[in-house]
Amino acid sequence: MKKVENVFSAPELHWVGDGFPAKTLFSYQGMGKRVSPFLLLDHAGPMSFSPSEHIRGVGEHPHRGFETVTIVYHGEVAHRDSTGEQGVIGPGDVQWMTAAKGILHEEFHTNDFAKSGGKLEMMQLWVNLPKRDKMNTPKYQEITEAQIPSVILPDDKGALRIIAGELDGLKGPASTHSPILVADGEIEATARYTLPIADGWSALVIVREGKVKVNGQVVSKERTIILSQSGEGLEVEAIDDSKLLVLAGKPIDEPIVGYGPFVMNSDAEIKQAFTDFQTGKFGNLARI
């Protein structure tokens, strides 16, 4: 089994724009290759919003060198980007955006959600790209809840949705650039399940709700457990009814240099990203 290396508590809430009250559950800043190929995870909400004529969200901003994965649990999010893609994702849906060589996008609550108000909860994961793919053409994948297969846990005590990667013969719909597993779901109290995570892979478990044991370590709500890359297997045992996000992947053995919305392999590439953004090479959101 993989060994428990760290358990992190969520820091204080911060706002992303005026629509997403987020806590950063882990970041490559300080954790580096221990969480590779993942870079960062923000948990937005859960928070209730009052009805409003004002559409909350985060306006136009750039990314280069990685992918953003947005998983909605409650509420609705509208996306628009400089490649011409746009869409709305609601509960259970996923937006997988490959920024690659550069993209501008915006994310807002939908008009309907703003007017009705309600509970908002989502996760946004940043996934690093290998150097060979960092300057590829940007891509957008909109994945509906109906497209995501689920592994039913023993004795029907929960299920894990396979968003990316493969588990128990089921393959997630997301197209990825390196071998990873992204799975979320629910597990009932007393249930136990072992995921066959490979030796050499990173592995993380994030508890959205409840309390579980991961390879013997108790982990509760809004905590992230990081396991060793050495060893095989990840066992989850539910103490309470719980909701989880499980991340695993083959580390990308390359330098990680990031600044704000750009993650590349060198300082020179970061400087070039700023130059390209400032000179309009990321496209123009206003033309859509």
Side-chain angles (χ1 to χ4, degrees):
M1 284 287 180
K2 291 181 177 292
K3 295 181 180 179
V4 174
E5 291 195 337
N6 293 100
V7 178
F8 293 94
S9 298
E12 292 300 313
L13 179 147
H14 66 278
W15 282 87
V16 180
D18 66 355
F20 305 106
K23 293 181 179 180
T24 299
L25 301 186
F26 70 82
S27 170
Y28 71 97
Q29 303 283 4
M31 298 183 188
K33 293 183 179 180
R34 288 192 299 157
V35 298
S36 179
F38 308 106
L39 294 168
L40 176 148
L41 180 69
D42 275 349
H43 184 192
M47 180 177 283
S48 292
F49 287 86
S50 300
S52 173
E53 293 300 316
H54 170 66
I55 309 299
R56 294 176 176 267
V58 56
E60 179 180 321
H61 58 284
H63 292 297
R64 171 179 279 184
F66 61 97
E67 303 180 285
T68 65
V69 180
T70 305
I71 308 169
V72 176
Y73 296 109
H74 299 280
E76 290 182 334
V77 179
H79 162 91
R80 196 166 67 105
D81 68 44
S82 54
T83 71
E85 295 285 358
Q86 53 187 322
V88 171
I89 53 173
D93 298 337
V94 177
Q95 169 193 292
W96 197 295
M97 187 184 77
T98 305
K101 68 179 181 181
I103 201 168
L104 303 177
H105 79 141
E106 64 178 25
E107 298 160 292
F108 283 92
H109 299 180
T110 63
N111 290 335
D112 287 345
F113 180 77
K115 290 177 181 178
S116 66
K119 183 178 178 180
L120 178 82
E121 183 184 9
M122 53 177 270
M123 295 274 193
Q124 186 169 91
L125 173 69
W126 289 13
V127 182
N128 202 9
L129 287 171
K131 182 178 179 64
R132 67 175 185 269
D133 296 325
K134 283 185 178 290
M135 295 302 288
N136 285 357
T137 301
K139 185 174 72 171
Y140 174 78
Q141 303 173 68
E142 187 173 294
I143 301 167
T144 65
E145 181 180 29
Q147 294 174 286
I148 302 172
S150 292
V151 171
I152 305 303
L153 303 189
D155 300 321
D156 201 25
K157 287 194 170 184
L160 285 177
R161 304 190 312 156
I162 314 306
I163 297 168
E166 190 170 343
L167 186 64
D168 281 4
L170 296 178
K171 189 173 182 180
S175 170
T176 69
H177 291 259
S178 62
I180 65 174
L181 173 69
V182 178
D184 68 358
E186 303 182 4
I187 180 169
E188 295 179 11
T190 74
R192 183 178 296 181
Y193 182 68
T194 299
L195 291 83
I197 308 301
D199 181 38
W201 277 37
S202 301
L204 303 92
V205 178
I206 298 90
V207 182
R208 285 178 50 221
E209 291 183 17
K211 183 184 292 184
V212 301
K213 281 185 181 179
V214 178
N215 288 6
Q217 174 70 51
V218 176
V219 192
S220 54
K221 182 179 179 180
E222 292 193 335
R223 284 176 170 80
T224 299
I225 187 167
I226 298 179
L227 296 121
S228 63
Q229 292 172 346
S230 62
E232 296 182 13
L234 186 164
E235 183 184 72
V236 177
E237 180 183 353
I239 298 172
D240 301 327
D241 291 351
S242 301
K243 296 180 181 179
L244 308 173
L245 176 66
V246 179
L247 306 173
K250 184 177 180 180
I252 297 171
D253 189 19
E254 296 172 356
I256 303 171
V257 180
Y259 191 96
F262 308 134
V263 180
M264 302 299 289
N265 299 112
S266 69
D267 289 330
E269 289 172 335
I270 293 294
K271 290 177 182 176
Q272 187 62 53
F274 275 100
T275 298
D276 291 347
F277 167 58
Q278 291 163 356
T279 56
K281 293 184 179 178
F282 284 29
N284 190 331
L285 196 61
R287 291 177 187 164
I288 298 174

